[in-house]
Amino acid sequence: MTYVKNHFSPTMQNYIVMADIDYFKHINDTYGHLNGDGILKQLTDVFKNVAAQMTGVNILIGRYGGEEFIFFIEMEEDKDIQSVVTAFQDKVRETPFYLEDTKEKINLTLSFGVCPIENINDLTHSTGKADKCLYRSKNNGRNQISYA
């Protein structure tokens, strides 16, 4: 939170995005936590690659807990948050992930919740709203994006 407060510009469009891997518990329960950890590492590589291809967009991504991630996104005025989040969703959906021990292919989808940062000094409020949007996505069938 301190990094975001110190490095993100209040003159830009700022968003918090929460993302959760759909049915990740099934992966851990079926293939074990070591394979689950390998999937998480592969996913972070996908996130890094997508973020690196964005122009006019600054993205800070962190693990929020378990299989949940938080994105802090700062964009120029002419950028569209929906296209940014959809790029992450699409890339994950089209990327094959592989189990560490058997090299079996696993497909993933993500659910997202998006909220504009209303006050850079009160990120807890926007994070809470993004989290509620994430759970709306999950409750409405997963593999979707919900906006505050």
Side-chain angles (χ1 to χ4, degrees), residues 55-148:
T55 56
V57 180
N58 296 320
I59 303 172
L60 176 66
I61 305 170
R63 192 164 167 198
Y64 198 68
E67 68 277 5
E68 197 167 342
F69 294 85
I70 188 167
F71 297 58
F72 297 97
I73 300 176
E74 175 184 71
M75 306 183 328
E76 296 173 352
E77 289 296 321
D78 63 339
K79 300 294 179 186
D80 174 41
I81 189 63
Q82 183 174 356
S83 65
V84 171
V85 178
T86 299
F88 283 97
Q89 184 182 42
D90 290 346
K91 188 63 175 178
V92 168
R93 194 174 23 227
E94 68 191 33
T95 299
F97 295 86
Y98 295 94
L99 299 176
E100 298 268 329
D101 54 359
T102 65
K103 302 302 178 200
E104 181 180 340
K105 184 174 84 164
I106 300 289
N107 296 313
L108 298 180
T109 59
L110 298 177
S111 296
F112 291 90
V114 180
C115 181
I117 296 175
E118 298 156 358
N119 179 351
I120 201 77
N121 294 311
D122 185 12
L123 295 175
T124 304
H125 177 73
S126 296
T127 302
K129 287 177 77 173
D131 201 42
K132 286 180 184 172
C133 290
L134 167 64
Y135 281 92
R136 185 175 347 124
S137 292
K138 293 184 91 56
N139 290 333
N140 288 334
R142 302 177 196 252
N143 191 27
Q144 52 188 279
I145 305 166
S146 297
Y147 299 88

Side-chain angles (χ1 to χ4, degrees), residues 34 36-46 48 97 100:
L34 290 178
D37 190 54
I39 297 292
L40 291 172
K41 290 175 185 174
Q42 293 171 61
L43 179 61
T44 59
D45 288 340
V46 171
K48 288 177 194 175
F97 295 86
E100 298 268 329

